Amino acid sequence: MKVGLAQIAPNSDDPAATLEGHLAALEQARAAGAELVVFPELSLSGYLVDEPRAWADDFLDASIEALRAAAGGATVLAGAPWLHAGGGATNAVVAISSEGVIARQDKIQLTNYGGYTEGRRFTPADRFAVASIAGRRVAILICADAWYPALGYAARHEGAELFIHPSASAVSGVSESFASDGAWTTINRAQALYHTRPVVFVNYAGGDRDTSFWGGSCVVAPTGTELAQLGDAPELRVVSIEDADTLAARELLRLSAAEATRLSFAP
C-alpha cells in the first residue's frame, strides 16, 4: 500500500489557500501512486481556528466536495471541524473518496493544557470505531488520542490493520521543557510494537500565527523501525507499506489481542 504523508504548513486565516494546498498535495501524491493520502489534524481549517462551528458552516461542504472531485482512485484523510448535533463542533478526521465521505472519526481526548485550548473550542467525541478505508481496517487516533493505551488496544481488538496518527504538535506546545518530538517518537514506536501494526504519523510544519510546528511526520513498521522520517519543512512523501512486513512482525513477536481476556485480576 502506498501512503502519502502530506506534511503541510497551516494557515488558520486563509481557508481558500489552505484548500488549494490540499489539492496540490493530493495531485502530487496521486502522481506518485498514493492510494491513501493523510493530512494532519484540523488540516482544512488550520489548528488555531477560532470559531470551529462557524468554519464548518461556511467551508466544510465545499472543502469536502473539492477533495472528492480531486480524489480519483485515492482516499484522502483530512482534518476539519464537524458540526455536532448538540451544538458546537468536533475535531474530526474525514475519509473522502471519489464517492464522498466514507468514514469519520472525532477526537476523544481534547488537549487543554500548556498552549493548547481545544477543550474550550471543540466538543469531545463519544465514540470510537475502526473503519474500512482504502482496503484496510484503519484506526484513526487523532493526536492526543494516540497517547491513551486503551484506545490502541480497542483498535487492535476491533481488527485494525493500520494506525493513523494525524497531529498538530507545536514546538513547546506543552512547555518549554517538554520535547514533543522525542515523545512522539516513543509513542509511535510503542504503538507499532504493542500491536504489530504499521503506524502513520502526520504533523504540521512551518508556522501559523504565533505558533511553530516541528513536522517530523513518519511511518513506523510493525517492528518499531522507521520506514520514513520527514524533516521540519512542508513536504509530501509517498511511502510503501508492505503487508508481508506486518505478517512477519506478527510471526516474530506473536502478540495476541486476546491475551488480556485470559487474565484474572486479584481484588
Side-chain angles (χ1 to χ4, degrees):
M1 181 184 197
K2 289 189 174 182
V3 179
L5 312 183
Q7 181 172 283
I8 64 169
N11 191 329
S12 298
D13 299 314
D14 194 341
T18 299
L19 178 58
E20 285 302 314
H22 280 68
L23 296 174
L26 176 55
E27 182 178 9
Q28 184 181 351
R30 286 185 57 202
E35 302 161 68
L36 180 65
V37 184
V38 183
F39 288 89
E41 175 183 17
L42 293 173
S43 61
L44 286 164
S45 64
Y47 180 70
L48 303 177
V49 58
D50 295 308
E51 300 291 342
R53 189 173 181 91
W55 187 95
D57 281 330
D58 293 341
F59 302 110
L60 180 60
D61 289 346
S63 298
I64 289 174
E65 174 55 26
L67 291 173
R68 183 206 64 77
T75 301
V76 182
L77 295 186
W82 188 274
L83 295 174
H84 189 272
T90 59
N91 175 344
V93 167
V94 186
I96 304 165
S97 73
S98 60
E99 299 177 355
V101 175
I102 59 172
R104 187 185 93 248
Q105 179 61 54
D106 300 322
K107 190 172 184 178
I108 297 168
Q109 302 291 343
L110 297 176
T111 312
N112 205 36
Y113 50 81
Y116 298 111
T117 61
E118 290 173 41
R120 299 197 292 271
R121 293 182 290 137
F122 290 93
T123 301
D126 57 7
R127 58 178 291 276
F128 175 74
V130 172
S132 295
I133 299 172
R136 299 289 191 283
R137 296 283 290 162
V138 177
I140 302 171
L141 298 172
I142 305 171
C143 204
D145 288 349
W147 293 57
Y148 287 79
L151 291 176
Y153 178 84
R156 184 175 71 174
H157 185 72
E158 292 300 315
E161 300 170 277
L162 175 65
F163 284 73
I164 305 287
H165 297 169
S167 179
S169 182
V171 176
S172 301
V174 176
S175 78
E176 292 288 344
S177 62
F178 185 82
S180 294
D181 53 350
W184 267 112
T185 296
T186 300
I187 292 294
N188 292 326
R189 286 179 174 171
Q191 195 88 276
L193 282 166
Y194 281 156
H195 307 301
T196 56
R197 273 52 169 183
V199 170
V200 175
F201 168 75
V202 182
N203 192 25
Y204 284 134
D208 188 18
R209 298 179 183 168
D210 60 353
T211 300
S212 297
F213 298 90
W214 52 271
S217 301
C218 66
V219 177
V220 184
T223 54
T225 303
E226 285 187 346
L227 301 178
Q229 173 73 63
L230 278 60
D232 60 1
E235 183 180 352
L236 184 285
R237 189 179 303 182
V238 175
V239 181
S240 291
I241 298 176
E242 303 296 335
D243 292 340
D245 292 342
T246 299
L247 294 174
R250 293 180 192 174
E251 179 66 21
L252 177 68
L253 297 174
R254 293 183 178 271
L255 302 174
S256 170
E259 290 300 323
T261 65
R262 290 197 284 270
L263 297 177
S264 60
F265 296 89

